[in-house]
Amino acid sequence: MDISVDVETDSLSLKSFQDRYILTQVGHQKIVFPSQWVAEIMLIERSQILNLPFYDSRVLGVVHRQGGIIPLVTLQVANPMSQRPRIQETLTAIRLSQLVSELAGVGLIVDQVIGSISQEELSAKEQKATESSNPQIEVFQPESISPSIWQPR
Protein backbone atom coordinates (compact mmCIF):
# COMPACT_ATOMS: atom_id res chain seq x y z
CA MET A 1 0.00 0.00 0.00
CA ASP A 2 1.46 3.34 -1.06
CA ILE A 3 0.52 6.36 1.02
CA SER A 4 1.68 9.72 -0.21
CA VAL A 5 1.06 13.12 1.23
CA ASP A 6 0.98 16.24 -0.86
CA VAL A 7 3.25 18.42 1.26
CA GLU A 8 2.65 21.50 -0.88
CA THR A 9 -1.14 21.25 -0.45
CA ASP A 10 -0.81 20.58 3.30
CA SER A 11 1.53 23.56 3.69
CA LEU A 12 -0.90 25.74 1.78
CA SER A 13 -3.87 24.71 3.94
CA LEU A 14 -1.79 25.23 7.13
CA LYS A 15 -0.75 28.68 5.90
CA SER A 16 -4.35 29.62 5.06
CA PHE A 17 -5.44 28.43 8.54
CA GLN A 18 -2.74 30.57 10.17
CA ASP A 19 -3.85 33.61 8.17
CA ARG A 20 -7.45 33.38 9.42
CA TYR A 21 -9.11 35.18 12.30
CA ILE A 22 -12.19 34.41 14.36
CA LEU A 23 -14.43 37.51 14.24
CA THR A 24 -16.46 38.22 17.38
CA GLN A 25 -18.51 41.03 18.80
CA VAL A 26 -18.45 42.42 22.34
CA GLY A 27 -20.94 45.24 22.77
CA HIS A 28 -20.42 47.53 19.78
CA GLN A 29 -16.78 46.49 19.35
CA LYS A 30 -15.65 43.83 16.89
CA ILE A 31 -12.69 41.79 18.14
CA VAL A 32 -10.71 39.24 16.14
CA PHE A 33 -8.63 36.37 17.46
CA PRO A 34 -5.91 34.68 15.39
CA SER A 35 -7.40 31.26 14.63
CA GLN A 36 -4.37 29.41 16.02
CA TRP A 37 -5.03 31.10 19.40
CA VAL A 38 -8.54 29.61 19.59
CA ALA A 39 -8.67 26.13 21.12
CA GLU A 40 -12.46 25.99 21.24
CA ILE A 41 -15.64 28.04 20.98
CA MET A 42 -17.84 27.12 23.93
CA LEU A 43 -21.51 27.65 24.79
CA ILE A 44 -21.92 27.76 28.56
CA GLU A 45 -25.12 27.71 30.58
CA ARG A 46 -25.17 30.25 33.39
CA SER A 47 -26.09 27.49 35.86
CA GLN A 48 -22.73 25.78 35.14
CA ILE A 49 -20.66 28.76 36.31
CA LEU A 50 -19.17 28.70 39.79
CA ASN A 51 -19.01 32.32 40.94
CA LEU A 52 -15.74 33.70 42.38
CA PRO A 53 -16.95 36.69 44.41
CA PHE A 54 -13.58 37.80 45.79
CA TYR A 55 -11.92 38.32 42.41
CA ASP A 56 -11.98 41.19 39.96
CA SER A 57 -15.44 41.74 38.44
CA ARG A 58 -14.08 40.77 35.01
CA VAL A 59 -13.57 37.20 36.30
CA LEU A 60 -17.09 35.82 35.98
CA GLY A 61 -16.18 32.52 37.60
CA VAL A 62 -15.06 29.07 36.55
CA VAL A 63 -16.69 26.19 34.74
CA HIS A 64 -15.87 22.49 34.83
CA ARG A 65 -15.30 21.10 31.33
CA GLN A 66 -13.73 17.87 30.09
CA GLY A 67 -12.06 17.15 33.42
CA GLY A 68 -10.61 20.63 33.84
CA ILE A 69 -11.46 23.98 35.34
CA ILE A 70 -11.77 26.89 32.93
CA PRO A 71 -11.70 30.46 34.26
CA LEU A 72 -14.13 32.78 32.48
CA VAL A 73 -13.20 36.40 31.84
CA THR A 74 -15.46 39.01 30.29
CA LEU A 75 -14.06 41.34 27.66
CA GLN A 76 -16.91 43.77 28.21
CA VAL A 77 -16.04 46.86 30.18
CA ALA A 78 -18.19 46.75 33.28
CA ASN A 79 -20.00 49.80 34.54
CA PRO A 80 -17.86 51.12 37.43
CA MET A 81 -21.02 51.49 39.54
CA SER A 82 -21.97 47.82 39.23
CA GLN A 83 -20.18 44.95 40.93
CA ARG A 84 -20.38 42.43 38.11
CA PRO A 85 -21.71 42.54 34.55
CA ARG A 86 -25.14 41.03 33.99
CA ILE A 87 -24.86 37.41 32.88
CA GLN A 88 -27.13 35.98 30.18
CA GLU A 89 -28.60 32.45 30.36
CA THR A 90 -26.19 31.13 27.73
CA LEU A 91 -22.72 32.59 27.22
CA THR A 92 -20.31 32.24 24.33
CA ALA A 93 -16.64 31.89 25.21
CA ILE A 94 -13.46 31.72 23.18
CA ARG A 95 -11.14 29.30 25.01
CA LEU A 96 -7.56 30.25 24.28
CA SER A 97 -5.01 27.68 23.12
CA GLN A 98 -1.57 26.86 24.53
CA LEU A 99 -0.07 29.39 22.09
CA VAL A 100 -1.29 32.16 24.38
CA SER A 101 0.83 30.86 27.23
CA GLU A 102 -0.11 33.37 29.93
CA LEU A 103 -3.83 32.90 29.20
CA ALA A 104 -3.83 29.29 27.93
CA GLY A 105 -7.14 27.60 28.71
CA VAL A 106 -8.93 30.80 29.76
CA GLY A 107 -12.42 31.34 28.33
CA LEU A 108 -13.06 34.89 27.10
CA ILE A 109 -16.74 35.80 27.07
CA VAL A 110 -17.98 37.43 23.87
CA ASP A 111 -21.50 38.47 22.85
CA GLN A 112 -21.37 36.51 19.61
CA VAL A 113 -19.08 34.80 17.16
CA ILE A 114 -19.70 36.32 13.74
CA GLY A 115 -17.46 34.06 11.66
CA SER A 116 -13.94 33.92 10.35
CA ILE A 117 -12.04 36.23 8.04
CA SER A 118 -8.71 36.08 6.23
CA GLN A 119 -5.76 38.40 6.77
CA GLU A 120 -6.62 40.17 3.50
CA GLU A 121 -10.26 40.70 4.53
CA LEU A 122 -9.14 42.01 7.92
CA SER A 123 -6.72 44.46 6.30
CA ALA A 124 -9.44 45.67 3.92
CA LYS A 125 -11.95 46.14 6.77
CA GLU A 126 -9.37 48.04 8.84
CA GLN A 127 -8.59 50.28 5.88
CA LYS A 128 -12.29 50.95 5.28
CA ALA A 129 -12.85 51.71 8.98
CA THR A 130 -9.94 54.15 8.96
CA GLU A 131 -11.44 55.99 5.98
CA SER A 132 -14.88 56.24 7.59
CA SER A 133 -16.05 56.91 11.12
CA ASN A 134 -17.03 53.28 11.72
CA PRO A 135 -15.58 51.58 14.77
CA GLN A 136 -12.40 49.72 13.94
CA ILE A 137 -11.90 45.99 14.34
CA GLU A 138 -9.60 45.27 17.25
CA VAL A 139 -7.13 42.38 17.22
CA PHE A 140 -7.17 40.75 20.67
CA GLN A 141 -3.99 41.38 22.64
CA PRO A 142 -3.28 39.09 25.63
CA GLU A 143 -1.64 42.05 27.39
CA SER A 144 -5.06 43.74 27.55
CA ILE A 145 -5.96 41.37 30.40
CA SER A 146 -4.04 42.48 33.44
CA PRO A 147 -2.42 39.73 35.55
CA SER A 148 -3.86 41.51 38.61
CA ILE A 149 -7.36 40.12 37.87
CA TRP A 150 -6.14 36.74 39.18
CA GLN A 151 -5.42 38.19 42.64
CA PRO A 152 -8.22 37.92 45.21
CA ARG A 153 -9.41 41.25 46.60
Side-chain angles (χ1 to χ4, degrees), residues 67-78:
I69 302 295
I70 299 172
L72 300 174
V73 175
T74 183
L75 293 176
Q76 209 163 40
V77 179

Side-chain angles (χ1 to χ4, degrees), residues 103-134:
L103 294 174
V106 170
L108 301 176
I109 304 298
V110 297
D111 291 339
Q112 67 177 334
V113 174
I114 299 170
S116 70
I117 61 173
S118 68
Q119 176 66 50
E120 293 81 23
E121 291 170 318
L122 177 60
S123 297
K125 286 181 183 284
E126 286 177 331
Q127 179 65 31
K128 192 174 184 179
T130 302
E131 293 170 358
S132 67
S133 61
N134 293 336

Side-chain angles (χ1 to χ4, degrees), residues 35-103:
S35 60
Q36 64 268 27
W37 286 8
V38 178
E40 173 181 24
I41 298 172
M42 306 177 351
L43 291 176
I44 302 164
E45 296 296 320
R46 181 171 65 178
S47 62
Q48 296 174 315
I49 299 172
L50 175 63
N51 192 13
L52 298 175
F54 298 110
Y55 284 82
D56 188 289
S57 63
R58 290 172 291 177
V59 178
L60 293 181
V62 296
V63 65
H64 182 265
R65 184 169 176 92
Q66 298 174 346
I69 302 295
I70 299 172
L72 300 174
V73 175
T74 183
L75 293 176
Q76 209 163 40
V77 179
N79 181 348
M81 298 303 208
S82 68
Q83 291 290 75
R84 292 195 178 265
R86 186 166 179 246
I87 300 176
Q88 301 170 353
E89 285 300 317
T90 303
L91 301 173
T92 304
I94 301 291
R95 189 170 63 86
L96 299 174
S97 73
Q98 298 300 321
L99 294 176
V100 191
S101 58
E102 63 273 9
L103 294 174

